[in-house]
Amino acid sequence: MTTSETSRYVRLRVELVIEVDDSGALTGAALERIAADEFMPDDERTHAQSAVREEEAEALAYLVDPFDLVSEVPGIELAQASWSCEQIDYDPDSADWELDIDEDEIDGYEAGPDGYPVLEDGRGGEGEGDDDTGRWP
């Protein structure tokens, strides 16, 4: 592949931490999705239902689809996707959970007070707008 061919591809990395506040609703929705999948073989369906009942992360994995994140974005086509879910210990005050932004990976940008890159025009960072609200016109 030439550089012009490979430059058409962009890797989008998204990391989310989800708080499950209604395990029954989450599990129920995943079980409904599995039951409605007419292409899933019966043995796979049985395994999926068991996994979803045992672990909330499995239920979430059956409900989240990367295609849904980008299907409405004009001018793109999803070429490949993978995702996984896992249960974690989460402490929002821990330094381990700070955003994983490496300034070396973001050429031309410096990190603002919130860790997000400051754009060349000065925008960026929470509360850095033209007025008291932190919003840009």
Side-chain angles (χ1 to χ4, degrees):
M1 288 188 154
T2 67
T3 304
S4 63
E5 290 174 326
T6 59
S7 65
R8 293 177 15 154
Y9 295 93
V10 175
R11 181 183 309 268
L12 171 65
R13 294 182 189 170
V14 177
E15 184 171 332
L16 305 169
V17 175
I18 307 291
E19 180 179 0
V20 177
D21 61 4
D22 189 342
S23 180
L26 176 65
T27 301
L31 290 171
E32 287 177 16
R33 167 84 50 99
I34 292 166
D37 187 344
E38 59 189 52
F39 300 108
M40 186 180 289
D42 288 339
D43 58 334
E44 186 179 332
R45 184 182 321 277
T46 301
H47 174 73
Q49 290 169 332
S50 175
V52 161
R53 286 185 182 105
E54 290 176 20
E55 189 174 337
E56 295 163 338
E58 288 290 332
L60 184 60
Y62 276 96
L63 294 171
V64 173
D65 184 349
F67 177 76
D68 293 341
L69 297 174
V70 297
S71 63
E72 300 291 320
V73 177
I76 68 163
E77 180 177 333
L78 182 63
Q80 179 182 353
S82 66
W83 68 105
S84 64
C85 292
E86 62 183 335
Q87 298 226 223
I88 59 168
D89 293 325
Y90 176 67
D91 177 3
D93 298 325
S94 170
D96 292 340
W97 290 100
E98 290 182 11
L99 293 176
D100 190 21
I101 296 178
D102 184 356
E103 288 182 42
D104 294 336
E105 293 179 10
I106 308 172
D107 289 336
Y109 297 97
E110 65 179 72
D114 60 358
Y116 288 101
V118 176
L119 303 177
E120 290 175 4
D121 62 4
R123 291 184 301 153
E126 192 173 329
E128 291 185 16
D130 279 354
D131 58 21
D132 300 14
T133 66
R135 287 183 242 138
W136 290 90

